[in-house]
Amino acid sequence: MKKYIFLIMALFLIIPAYSSAEDFLGIPLMPEGKIIKKTDIRLEMKVNTDNDVVVDFYKTALKDMKDIKFREWKNATYIEDDSNRPWHSITISKNGTNETSIAIMKDNWTWIISTLVIRFIGVFAVLLILYLGMSFSGGILSRLFKK
């Protein structure tokens, strides 16, 4: 019986910590962060922590998710979702020695449509180049091998 009382007391102490953890679009937020701007599609916050600590926090938070890409840039780390989650990207920017900015963006139709339009135009550009190359080589070969 004493074991059960100890277990129940431990659960009452642990469960509120998990339920009070903040998140935005299903992404956990750094607990000591200060929210600068929060809208339906974007959240910006600053953390008085080293950039590597923040990147490690998000790597462990996202380790079980598929189709996540981490890109290391000079002044930032860009985390992108290539799946169907409600968020599109997390940008972790280095502001100084102990200050880091975090920006979480919601997946939006503007980005989706623009990438599709760019791919559509790219396909026809490649087809146009192939057509011009084949026409040019066909013209040269037809002049060389006249019967």
Side-chain angles (χ1 to χ4, degrees):
M1 187 66 164
K2 289 182 181 182
K3 293 179 185 178
Y4 292 121
I5 292 174
F6 178 71
L7 181 64
I8 290 172
M9 292 298 286
L11 287 175
F12 278 124
L13 292 173
I14 294 171
I15 289 174
Y18 287 114
S19 64
S20 67
E22 274 191 86
D23 70 340
F24 180 71
L25 300 173
I27 304 259
L29 301 178
M30 291 288 293
E32 61 271 0
K34 179 183 174 192
I35 296 176
I36 305 297
K37 181 181 177 184
K38 183 176 182 179
T39 62
D40 291 341
I41 61 171
R42 184 178 178 90
L43 178 121
E44 295 177 14
M45 66 184 298
K46 289 196 179 199
V47 181
N48 288 328
T49 308
D50 188 38
N51 184 44
D52 296 331
V53 174
V54 178
V55 171
D56 289 339
F57 173 80
Y58 281 107
K59 280 187 179 180
T60 56
L62 303 172
K63 70 180 175 184
D64 295 331
M65 296 183 185
K66 289 184 175 182
D67 300 325
I68 304 290
K69 291 183 183 175
F70 287 85
R71 295 186 181 144
E72 295 290 334
W73 295 336
K74 183 178 179 181
N75 294 324
T77 301
Y78 185 74
I79 305 169
E80 184 177 21
D81 172 44
D82 290 339
S83 185
N84 59 354
R85 293 180 184 85
W87 59 277
H88 170 65
S89 66
I90 304 170
T91 306
I92 304 168
S93 303
K94 303 173 189 174
N95 291 344
T97 56
N98 254 355
E99 187 175 90
T100 305
S101 295
I102 304 168
I104 302 172
M105 293 289 298
K106 182 179 180 180
D107 204 6
N108 57 23
W109 282 101
T110 306
W111 179 81
I112 295 168
I113 298 297
S114 65
T115 56
L116 289 175
V117 167
I118 290 170
R119 290 178 184 183
F120 184 78
I121 292 170
V123 165
F124 284 105
V126 168
L127 288 175
L128 178 66
I129 291 169
L130 287 173
Y131 174 74
L132 292 175
M134 289 174 63
S135 296
F136 182 70
S137 67
I140 291 174
L141 290 175
S142 67
R143 287 188 185 109
L144 287 175
F145 298 108
K146 281 187 179 179
K147 288 187 178 180

